[in-house]
Amino acid sequence: MDFTSLFQKLFLLEIRRLLMIITIAIIIALLISNSTISRSFRSNPNFNLSTIVPIGSYSSSMDDQIGDEIETKELIRDPTLGNKSLIIGYGVSKDANFTFPRAIAGEHGGVRDRDRENIDVESTSSNSSLAANVTKIAKLNDNRRNQSVSSLKRPERQPFSMSQMNLLLVQSHGSSDYVRPRWSSARDAALLSAKLKIENAPIVRNYPGLHGSAFRNLSRFKRSYELMERVLRIYIYKEGEKPIFHQSKMRGIYASEGWFMKLLEGNKKFVVKDPRKAHLFYLPFSPQMLRTVLFGQKIHSQKDLESYLKNYVDLVSQKYSFWNRTGGADHFLVGCHDWAARITRQHMKNCIRVLCNANVAKGFQIGKDSSLPVTYIRSAENPVKDLGGRPPSERSILAFFAGGMHGYLRPILLQHWENKEPDMKIVGPMPRDIEGKRLYREYMKSSKYCICARGYEVHTPRIVEAISYDCVPVIISDNYVPPFFEVLNWEAFAVFVKERDIPNLRNILLSILEEKYIEMQSSVKMVQKHFLWHKIPVKYDLFHMILHSVWYNRIFQMQS
């Protein structure tokens, strides 16, 4: 056999061996892939793509701003999970010819929202990736298959009672946590003088425009408010560019931070141009705009947002001496977005943080920080539109709640009380059309008690809405510090129910004597003025109450 023939045979033999190795590798890869998919679906045999059904609009009129965006939603139902499910929104990828699932709101106990879920959907670029993501979602559902609604995730630690929060407030005054200024200031002396005058306020039992029983100490509040109007001066840092700084939204669920910013920046009574004359310093950024503008662009985590704010603090501390004098203790910020509490807890921890997400179990400091009311503004032109409700004798509904299934608590509420009693109107989301919104308001105006159940976080706009419609709020949100806690006596006009007591909710409400209810409802009407925005602020309104809360907490943190 010549050399050429031998070479050809050896070459063919090597080609055959190589093809055999490639074939075996492909078979092994397919077996591994099929095994993974099979295990995922075998563990949840009832799940299939045919269970994806459209649900249309899923939010109530109070919740349509949750998550900052409104997208087309579809619901993946798993028959083994009962009422629990995953909501998927369909967005368009960079390749406009392909749509990918984006988990945005686990309103039935699934993935919470697209900012907090750990499914990588943004990089999806093929149908195989879609299948992989559906498999991941199926696994998440499978982890919950044996849970009932009543066993959804709850806080592990024992919740704070109202009496414990009252004690924390007392202990915060003169606390050892006080950040002593590095050098003295005439402004500090003025605040300490005001503190002494408040502590020795002349006794006042009744005062026009103020309801005595709704306050912890009416005499102190009256004196403090008068001194605030006369003494308080605020400097607003000019640094920072729009839209994150000096601009915020005036409508929607996070509107409180926008209304306060706009009204303060336009105020000539409290705001000074010379920072040396200021008692307090306002950091004029919007956590909502920070999240909306930056998150998902160059910034991809809450840690990145914290770093962004640290750079701003570094800027003002290098340019001015005021932050360095107190470590930021005489500075304040106002934020209503859920993330505001987390992204400010490190680099702005000494500041007075005015937050909607006022969770005492997660870093909110009673007596230093201030609880900001969540005010759902439908009309920036007329924020006080459609106030009031029916008199007590015409309120035929014992308790009312309607809303999306955000968080772990609301499904529990509906499981126990939806369609259970004729005088308990407890339902899920109502239609978001004009008639649905009108009916929602009418239910509140016709109910004795309005259920204010927490959503993803402890705060809810239903508290202010209940007060606006003369309905006694029933707050079901463990560890939530209600607005203006340092001065208002909330138990005079609201009912607090522990989350674990939801099964006994009706008995709790029925145990309240009619005389007591009428007294509470009257107090609700009297405190209503403290929770209303006005385009031109008026005495004792929400703008002034927020300012007073910051002023009061700063004064009582100080020591001589």
Side-chain angles (χ1 to χ4, degrees), residues 22 76 135 137 140 222 250 273 328 330 347 412 448 547:
I22 293 174
I76 294 182
T135 300
I137 295 170
L140 286 175
K222 176 181 175 296
M250 301 290 288
K273 295 182 179 180
D330 53 359
H347 305 297
I412 298 174
K448 296 176 67 175
L547 269 189

Side-chain angles (χ1 to χ4, degrees), residues 304-550:
D304 291 333
L305 297 181
E306 289 183 44
S307 298
Y308 183 91
L309 292 180
K310 180 183 183 300
N311 291 337
Y312 181 71
V313 169
D314 291 343
L315 172 65
V316 298
S317 65
Q318 291 168 11
K319 188 172 181 179
Y320 304 90
S321 63
F322 308 105
W323 177 281
N324 299 323
R325 189 180 80 87
T326 63
D330 53 359
H331 290 56
F332 72 100
L333 61 95
V334 178
C336 199
H337 193 278
D338 295 9
W339 291 8
R342 285 182 285 273
I343 63 178
T344 60
R345 63 187 172 185
Q346 183 175 355
H347 305 297
M348 297 179 174
K349 62 182 179 180
N350 291 333
C351 296
I352 301 169
R353 302 183 305 157
V354 186
L355 304 170
C356 287
N357 193 6
N359 188 336
V360 69
K362 293 187 176 181
F364 183 89
Q365 297 183 51
I366 294 177
K368 179 184 78 70
D369 297 330
S370 177
S371 179
L372 178 66
V374 187
T375 53
Y376 186 86
I377 304 296
R378 293 184 176 85
S379 172
E381 292 301 314
N382 188 8
V384 296
K385 180 182 179 181
D386 203 23
L387 295 177
R390 296 187 180 186
S393 61
E394 296 180 15
R395 291 179 176 257
S396 58
I397 302 172
L398 177 65
F400 168 68
F401 173 85
M405 296 298 97
H406 306 301
Y408 64 84
L409 187 70
R410 295 180 186 180
I412 298 174
L413 177 66
L414 262 67
Q415 182 196 43
H416 284 283
W417 294 111
E418 185 177 25
N419 298 323
K420 297 296 173 65
E421 297 289 343
D423 59 353
M424 298 276 285
K425 183 67 176 178
I426 309 295
V427 298
M430 296 179 67
R432 288 167 49 195
D433 56 17
I434 294 176
E435 177 59 21
K437 293 177 180 179
R438 185 200 65 79
L439 188 60
Y440 179 89
R441 292 192 295 270
E442 185 58 32
Y443 277 131
M444 276 202 158
K445 292 169 179 281
S446 304
S447 300
K448 296 176 67 175
Y449 299 98
C450 290
I451 307 302
C452 307
R454 63 167 289 164
Y456 292 132
E457 302 292 351
V458 293
H459 56 290
T460 168
R462 284 168 182 78
I463 296 174
V464 173
E465 198 163 54
I467 293 172
S468 298
Y469 298 137
D470 301 344
C471 185
V472 175
V474 178
I475 301 173
I476 310 178
S477 181
D478 291 352
N479 301 316
Y480 176 62
V481 182
F484 317 129
F485 184 73
E486 60 280 345
V487 295
L488 290 183
N489 175 25
W490 273 85
E491 291 173 293
F493 57 91
V495 178
F496 291 84
V497 175
K498 289 185 173 60
E499 293 174 9
R500 65 168 180 254
D501 291 334
I502 283 180
N504 200 35
L505 176 60
R506 188 167 184 270
N507 289 336
I508 292 173
L509 299 180
L510 290 174
S511 70
I512 300 173
L513 298 177
E514 184 67 14
E515 294 80 3
K516 176 64 175 175
Y517 160 72
I518 292 175
E519 182 182 328
M520 295 178 74
Q521 202 261 355
S522 175
S523 296
V524 166
K525 297 176 71 172
M526 293 298 294
V527 300
Q528 188 181 92
K529 68 180 67 162
H530 305 310
F531 295 90
L532 300 178
W533 293 110
H534 297 272
K535 295 181 70 174
I536 300 177
V538 300
K539 196 177 184 72
Y540 302 130
D541 71 352
L542 185 47
F543 170 74
H544 286 100
M545 290 296 288
I546 295 171
L547 269 189
H548 179 267
S549 185
V550 176

Side-chain angles (χ1 to χ4, degrees), residues 22-63:
I22 293 174
T23 301
I24 292 173
I26 292 173
I27 292 172
I28 292 174
L30 289 173
L31 287 174
I32 293 174
S33 176
N34 289 337
S35 175
T36 301
I37 296 174
S38 176
R39 281 198 304 273
S40 299
F41 283 89
R42 195 184 313 126
S43 64
N44 194 353
N46 293 317
F47 178 88
N48 59 72
L49 291 178
S50 66
T51 59
I52 301 180
V53 294
I55 61 170
S57 297
Y58 197 78
S59 299
S60 73
S61 62
M62 287 301 303
D63 292 309

Side-chain angles (χ1 to χ4, degrees), residues 200-229:
N200 295 281
I203 295 176
V204 175
R205 305 199 182 278
N206 293 293
Y207 188 77
L210 298 176
H211 192 55
S213 65
F215 290 87
R216 293 177 178 273
N217 188 316
L218 178 60
S219 304
R220 277 196 173 196
F221 173 76
K222 176 181 175 296
R223 187 65 171 133
S224 177
Y225 191 95
E226 291 171 347
L227 289 168
M228 176 194 75
E229 289 188 309

